[in-house]
């Protein structure tokens, strides 16, 4: 029997072919099952409407108003056009603002009519305003069948929300529900549910889409998160057991001449204690007969590259190839240059492969790899494309893991019939409990010690009022022969966001730091790879004094002479990103500085984040802090792109208690029944099979797709 959950969404009443196509393209929703598991990311409480005068000033939670539109006006030109709509109720008035507005928008709001307005309040000079709120005519909202007191707001894309309107998903769910409700099978037995206080699956799915009360919604969310996290834990833990049972790892039995010669002749400094310990851990793993699968965490600048190099030499010493995958072109080229330099004079054949490798060069490298003429290959994700065949890959290093999905990591393994050892490195410190839980199939090593002689970076926070002083300070540093980074969150101003942009910044900097006395260079993601590289080269060689860039230089880039990192609109960045950026300086012996620039008025959480940056240099402490501040979502962002599973509802940061609970539970279940063969575990073993159609292409839909505010 064809499964109703696998049928095409175009047959849901009210969807049809055109919408189905767009939903598939934009949101990856293709089957009825996908749609059923497309959950609201927030809810409008239809019972709670704020009078404008009573909107709390110190709270940024989303709120609902009901007000009459009194006028609108456009300001600005071209792409940067701004629409301001004013609206009033009996107690006051509000400004509703859209950036990058089109004429089309103005027709949506009629002067004199009353709207339900939903958004995040901000205050400017005591005046309430909202950016990009959701709006609907009052009549329209009232004429909706009152399915529930709370209406779900669904993650969406710009195109989809234009086509469906703000209630579109609710309507689809209404049509969908009668089709599926009798087929929803609960993977949990009654006994299991009673024991863990979980509501039945059908009731949970109903309440997630049509909450019957705040309490039922909470229980529905708990149930679905519990199921999702338990499934992950069962998967991770059984996979680990399997891996350890197979014992089919390559055995690197000897420490050979390359490793020893490098250590004795080439190593320019003494390894830190932590580096020594990790090298030992790796040596033990690769000699054990089990396939190694290790996560190496170490703060920025802690010297992970060196550890990776030594591990790769072990591989080559034992007759195996090794490769190292970096998240960006810049970083791959930098690794290639650094490693080639360190290995000079040793008989190691290196190759590099990136997206912009030229055809001839690429063909040569590919042949070299497959015929065993390349020992160590460095590259970007071009390494895992289909045409790349190793002759005997024994060791894989993945640098800066958080930029890669685990699916990409998994692809590397299939390049051999026997899986190579894998070392995943990250500078984003993940609190240990979380790492163990989410990356449960990895062993964890930590470098918790910086090379000697580093001075702690001095971090401070300023607003535009201090701009002149800042410029003066940069000039002083440059006069001492140092170099400066200035990082922006945006390339140009046109975005719907009120942050500094690189283009504006570059104009200001070249005006105040005029050539030829000062040389300023640029690097951002939309530049051609050659241009980026040339710009990096100028900075590295010291020809350029100032590097103006976006976060493309966030990971790995190593220019020891750079001593100042200025981060514009720092409130825009999460803690781990700020810490990564700061890690670009403080690599040499001089005192280094990180200067955070922000708007005068920022949210309390942003303020705490920036203050934390000023207070500590310790990445692990910052990660813990991030966890506490939540909402920053940094750690979970890392998890989302880095972890094996695409989470639909659980958030590993916020739901850490459910996470630990399900981890222990999964361990207990697997201990009593490792293959989940008992009849009472039949449902659980179903949980471990991938759900049809769910993110089939491996993409991750963020929970906050449409939220611009
Ligand atoms: P990350 O862990 O951020 O990748 P890197 O591997 O880029 O750090 O190392 C940062 C800098 O520290 C490099 O310039 C590297 O040569 C240097 N370094 C690494 N290990 C040591 C050490 N034991 N002593 C002194 N300098 C070191
Ligand atoms: Mg690095």
């Amino acid at each position: 029997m064809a499964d109703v959950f696998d049928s095409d969404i175009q047959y849901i009443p009210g969807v049809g072919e055109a919408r189905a196509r767009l939903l598939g393209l934009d949101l990856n929703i293709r089957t009825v099952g996908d749609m059923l598991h497309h959950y609201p990311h927030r809810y409008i409480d239809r019972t709670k409407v704020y009078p404008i005068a009573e909107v709390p000033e110190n709270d940024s939670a989303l709120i609902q108003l009901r007000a009459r539109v009194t006028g609108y006006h456009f300001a600005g030109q071209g792409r940067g056009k701004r629409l301001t709509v004013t609206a009033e109720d009996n107690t006051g008035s509000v400004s509703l603002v859209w950036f990058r507005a089109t004429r089309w928008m103005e027709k949506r709001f009629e002067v004199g009519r009353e709207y339900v307005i939903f958004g995040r309040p901000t205050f400017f000079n005591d005046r309430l305003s909202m950016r990009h709120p959701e709006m609907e005519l009052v009549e329209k909202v009232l004429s909706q069948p009152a399915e529930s007191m709370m209406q779900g707001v669904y993650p969406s894309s710009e195109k989809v929300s234009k086509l469906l309107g703000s209630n579109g998903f609710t309507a689809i769910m209404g049509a969908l529900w009668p089709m599926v409700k009798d087929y929803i099978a609960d993977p949990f037995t009654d006994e299991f549910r009673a024991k863990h206080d979980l509501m039945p699956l059908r009731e949970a799915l109903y309440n997630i889409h049509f909450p019957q009360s705040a309490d039922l919604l909470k229980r529905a969310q708990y149930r679905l998160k519990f199921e999702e996290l338990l499934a992950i834990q069962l998967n991770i833990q059984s996979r680990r057991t399997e891996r350890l049972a197979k014992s089919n790892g390559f055995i690197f039995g000897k420490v050979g001449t390359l490793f020893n010669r490098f250590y004795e002749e080439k190593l320019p400094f003494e390894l830190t204690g932590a580096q020594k310990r990790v090298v030992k851990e790796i040596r033990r793993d690769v000699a054990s007969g089990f396939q190694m699968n290790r996560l190496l965490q170490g703060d920025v600048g802690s010297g992970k590259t060196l550890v990776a190099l030594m591990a790769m030499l072990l591989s080559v010493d034992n007759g195996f190839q090794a490769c190292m995958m970096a998240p960006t072109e810049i970083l791959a080229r930098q690794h290639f240059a650094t490693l080639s330099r360190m290995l000079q004079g040793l008989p190691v054949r290196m190759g590099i492969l990136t997206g912009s490798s030229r055809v001839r060069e690429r063909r040569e490298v590919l042949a070299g790899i497959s015929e065993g003429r390349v020992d160590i290959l460095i590259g970007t994700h071009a390494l895992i494309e289909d045409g790349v065949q190793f002759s005997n890959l024994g060791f894989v290093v993945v640098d800066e893991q958080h930029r890669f999905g685990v699916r990409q990591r998994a692809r590397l393994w299939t390049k051999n019939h026997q899986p190579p050892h894998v070392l995943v490195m990250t500078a984003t410190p993940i609190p240990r409990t979380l790492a163990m839980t989410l990356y449960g199939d990895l062993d964890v090593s930590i470098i918790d010690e910086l090379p000697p002689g580093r001075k702690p970076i001095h971090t401070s926070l300023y607003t535009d009022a201090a701009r002149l002083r800042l410029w003066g300070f940069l000039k002083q540093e440059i006069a001492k022969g140092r170099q400066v980074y200035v990082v922006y969150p945006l390339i140009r101003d046109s975005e719907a966001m009120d942050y500094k942009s690189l283009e504006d910044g570059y104009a200001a900097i070249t005006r105040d730091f005029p050539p030829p006395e000062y040389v300023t260079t640029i690097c951002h993601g939309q530049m051609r790879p050659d241009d980026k590289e040339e710009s990096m080269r100028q900075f590295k060689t010291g020809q350029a004094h100032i590097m103006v860039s976006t976060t493309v230089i966030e990971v790995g880039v190593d220019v020891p002479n750079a001593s100042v990192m200025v981060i514009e609109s720092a409130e825009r960045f999460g803690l781990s990103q700020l810490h990564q950026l700061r890690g670009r300086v403080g690599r040499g012996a001089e005192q280094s500085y990180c200067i955070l620039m922000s708007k005068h008025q920022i949210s309390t959480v942003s303020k705490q984040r920036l203050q934390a940056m000023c207070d500590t240099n310790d990445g692990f402490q910052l990660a813990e802090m991030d966890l506490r501040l939540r909402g920053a979502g940094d750690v979970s962002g890392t998890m989302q792109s880095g972890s094996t599973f695409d989470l639909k509802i659980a958030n590993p940061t916020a739901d850490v208690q459910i996470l630990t609970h399900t981890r222990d539970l999964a361990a207990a279940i697997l201990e009593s029944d490792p293959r989940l063969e008992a009849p009472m575990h039949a449902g659980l073993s179903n949980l471990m099979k991938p759900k049809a159609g769910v993110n089939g292409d491996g993409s991750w839909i963020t929970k906050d797709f449409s939220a611009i505010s």
Side-chain angles (χ1 to χ4, degrees):
M1 188 191 89
D3 199 329
V4 58
F5 298 105
D6 290 338
S7 52
D8 194 312
I9 50 169
Q10 67 170 301
Y11 304 115
I12 303 171
V15 176
E17 219 175 312
R19 287 176 173 181
R21 191 171 332 109
L22 190 60
L23 283 163
L25 275 179
D26 270 24
L27 301 178
N28 242 326
I29 302 174
R30 298 194 166 82
T31 66
V32 165
D34 295 344
M35 186 60 89
L36 183 64
H37 296 291
H38 187 61
Y39 306 139
H41 55 158
R42 56 171 196 262
Y43 296 85
I44 302 178
D45 183 349
R46 296 208 214 176
T47 55
K48 176 103 185 133
V49 178
Y50 276 92
I52 289 174
E54 280 166 35
V55 174
E57 196 158 339
N58 50 9
D59 188 4
S60 66
L62 292 156
I63 58 155
Q64 184 174 218
L65 308 171
R66 188 187 280 196
R68 193 172 302 280
V69 168
T70 54
Y72 52 84
H73 79 273
F74 276 94
Q77 278 304 311
R79 295 227 292 159
K81 211 171 280 176
R82 190 176 68 205
L83 169 65
T84 308
V85 172
T86 47
E88 293 178 1
D89 66 8
N90 295 331
T91 68
S93 74
V94 57
S95 302
L96 310 164
V97 182
W98 284 264
F99 297 97
R100 265 203 315 193
T102 54
R103 286 282 161 193
W104 165 82
M105 296 198 53
E106 136 193 21
K107 295 202 197 84
R108 271 178 55 195
F109 312 121
E110 273 180 64
V111 172
R113 296 188 74 176
E114 204 184 354
Y115 290 81
V116 172
I117 302 162
F118 184 73
R120 206 181 294 282
T122 51
F123 283 87
F124 192 69
N125 292 339
D126 283 337
R127 198 175 150 68
L128 173 63
S129 74
M130 282 186 184
R131 271 190 220 162
H132 295 248
E134 289 166 25
M135 283 180 66
E136 196 70 85
L137 279 168
V138 165
E139 300 89 275
K140 219 166 156 187
V141 175
L142 293 181
S143 70
Q144 295 251 320
E147 279 281 0
S148 58
M149 303 308 274
M150 278 172 287
Q151 188 190 326
V153 178
Y154 289 82
S156 188
S157 70
E158 209 174 310
K159 280 189 200 150
V160 170
S161 44
K162 261 186 207 170
L163 200 67
L164 285 181
S166 61
N167 302 318
F169 278 104
T170 309
I172 293 176
M173 295 303 170
L176 174 82
W177 187 251
M179 295 167 64
V180 297
K181 70 178 177 28
D182 294 332
Y183 298 97
I184 295 171
D186 201 319
F188 299 150
T189 61
D190 293 350
E191 193 192 338
F192 184 90
R193 280 204 316 271
K195 188 164 160 198
H196 299 286
D197 195 21
L198 300 167
M199 71 164 45
L201 180 57
R202 186 204 295 187
E203 198 183 335
L205 287 170
Y206 186 71
N207 276 286
I208 209 80
H209 293 299
F210 309 108
Q212 300 300 300
S213 73
D215 183 53
L216 284 167
L217 173 61
K218 226 189 200 156
R219 295 191 21 127
Q221 288 169 324
Y222 180 78
R223 148 82 211 217
L224 294 172
K225 288 175 177 180
F226 188 98
E227 180 176 325
E228 186 167 72
L229 292 173
L230 181 64
I232 289 176
Q233 288 307 315
L234 287 169
N235 257 301
I236 289 178
Q237 293 183 30
S238 59
R239 195 188 298 173
R240 180 184 164 80
T241 319
E242 241 171 67
R243 177 165 63 86
L244 293 180
K246 268 196 200 134
S247 69
N248 62 345
F250 294 122
I251 298 181
F252 297 172
K254 62 173 183 203
V255 176
T257 45
L258 284 177
F259 185 95
N260 284 331
R261 279 189 62 194
F262 175 77
Y263 193 78
E264 279 150 25
E265 300 167 20
K266 302 289 174 189
L267 195 60
F269 29 63
E270 180 76 7
L271 291 180
T272 63
Q275 284 171 319
K276 280 187 194 154
R277 193 186 63 235
V278 175
V279 170
K280 241 187 232 152
E281 284 168 348
I282 294 171
R283 272 171 56 175
R284 192 192 55 216
D285 278 7
V286 295
S288 71
F290 298 110
Q291 181 227 341
M292 182 183 85
N293 214 359
R294 193 167 270 285
L295 174 69
L296 172 55
Q297 293 189 43
D299 213 341
V300 278
S302 61
K304 295 184 291 295
T305 318
L306 200 58
V307 171
L309 173 60
M310 296 182 69
M312 290 194 290
L313 290 178
L314 268 183
S315 180
V316 179
D317 265 340
N318 284 272
F320 293 96
Q321 292 169 305
C323 75
M324 180 163 178
M325 185 159 75
T328 64
E329 174 106 22
I330 294 178
L331 207 49
R333 298 210 172 267
Q334 179 181 294
H335 278 324
F336 182 75
T338 316
L339 299 193
S340 304
R341 186 163 33 77
M342 292 182 105
L343 294 175
Q344 226 164 46
L346 292 181
V348 182
R349 296 162 300 178
M350 306 253 303
I352 177 161
L353 191 67
T354 72
S356 69
S357 296
R358 294 183 206 296
V359 179
R360 163 110 61 79
E361 184 190 354
R362 184 183 162 78
R363 207 178 299 140
E364 232 160 71
V365 173
L366 287 180
I369 303 164
S370 67
E371 289 158 22
R373 279 182 282 109
V374 170
D375 300 317
I376 294 182
L377 179 66
I378 313 279
T380 55
H381 51 269
L383 290 190
I384 49 172
E385 276 159 18
D386 286 337
V388 187
Q389 278 303 333
F390 290 87
S391 83
N392 62 347
L393 180 61
F395 198 96
V396 172
V397 180
V398 182
D399 194 18
E400 307 297 352
Q401 150 76 358
H402 60 291
R403 293 298 181 92
F404 290 107
V406 163
R407 274 186 190 78
Q408 288 175 321
R409 200 174 84 209
R411 283 188 66 178
L412 268 170
W413 304 1
T414 63
K415 295 212 162 278
N416 282 43
H417 54 281
Q418 209 176 333
H421 299 295
V422 178
L423 179 68
V424 173
M425 309 198 293
T426 178
T428 307
I430 301 159
R432 206 182 174 102
T433 45
L434 270 182
M436 302 294 260
T437 324
L438 263 160
Y439 296 104
D441 59 335
L442 303 178
D443 294 310
V444 180
S445 288
I446 295 180
I447 302 189
D448 50 5
E449 182 184 353
L450 291 178
R454 299 267 169 87
K455 289 204 179 75
I457 301 162
H458 192 279
T459 305
S460 39
L461 173 61
Y462 296 105
T463 64
D464 263 333
R467 177 73 54 189
L468 265 180
R469 255 198 307 148
L470 171 63
W471 276 183
F473 174 69
L474 297 186
K475 286 183 177 164
Q476 254 175 36
E477 284 292 300
I478 293 169
K480 285 192 217 157
R482 312 276 144 74
Q483 291 164 281
V484 174
Y485 292 100
V486 188
V487 173
Y488 296 85
L490 304 173
I491 297 179
R492 56 187 66 85
D493 262 358
S494 63
E495 310 289 329
M497 292 176 276
D498 183 16
Y499 299 120
K500 304 256 177 199
S501 76
L502 180 147
E503 282 183 356
D504 273 11
Y506 180 73
I509 288 171
T510 43
R511 185 190 61 223
D512 296 339
F513 296 78
E517 190 183 355
Y518 298 98
V519 180
T520 303
T521 187
I522 287 196
C523 192
H524 63 72
Q526 289 176 12
M527 284 162 59
R528 292 192 6 225
D530 303 9
D531 296 340
K532 262 193 276 187
E533 208 182 311
E534 169 57 19
S535 152
M536 277 311 298
R537 193 195 58 77
Q538 282 185 13
F539 193 64
K540 266 190 177 173
T541 54
Q543 272 168 275
H545 305 105
I546 305 176
M547 163 63 85
V548 169
S549 87
T550 57
T551 56
V552 292
I553 53 109
E554 167 192 342
V555 287
V557 171
D558 192 17
V559 181
N561 189 49
S563 66
V564 187
M565 165 62 67
V566 180
I567 305 174
E568 297 284 355
S569 297
E571 72 272 21
R572 168 74 177 80
F573 299 102
L575 261 179
S576 76
Q577 215 174 8
L578 290 170
H579 184 62
Q580 278 283 330
L581 286 168
R582 177 166 62 184
R584 298 309 106 219
V585 296
R587 309 195 137 228
E590 323 82 34
Q591 177 62 53
S592 291
Y593 304 88
C594 174
I595 293 162
L596 308 171
M597 298 297 288
S598 89
K599 267 195 306 224
H600 188 61
Q601 279 185 318
I602 53 176
S603 72
T604 318
V605 175
S606 302
K607 214 170 270 164
Q608 281 173 316
R609 242 184 351 230
L610 299 180
Q611 196 51 49
M613 282 292 294
C614 298
D615 293 344
T616 180
N617 269 304
D618 181 332
F620 281 83
Q621 220 171 313
L622 289 171
E624 298 284 354
M625 158 94 68
D626 205 16
L627 205 59
R628 269 201 312 273
L629 289 180
R630 260 265 322 131
D634 255 341
V635 176
S636 69
T638 304
M639 295 296 177
Q640 285 162 359
S641 55
S643 74
T644 323
F645 303 90
D646 298 316
L647 298 173
K648 293 224 152 283
I649 186 164
N651 173 331
T653 322
D655 302 322
V656 69
Q657 267 163 4
I658 311 179
L659 189 64
T660 359
H661 182 44
T662 53
R663 179 192 60 193
D664 297 346
L665 183 60
I669 293 171
L670 288 171
E671 184 161 332
S672 71
D673 182 11
R675 293 167 180 277
L676 301 178
E677 286 160 335
M680 65 187 265
H681 289 153
L684 295 184
S685 86
N686 274 336
L687 264 188
M688 294 178 51
K689 295 180 188 132
K691 285 199 178 76
V694 172
N695 282 340
D697 70 346
S699 66
W700 165 258
I701 304 171
T702 66
K703 296 209 172 93
D704 230 351
F705 216 94
S706 62
I708 302 169
S709 46

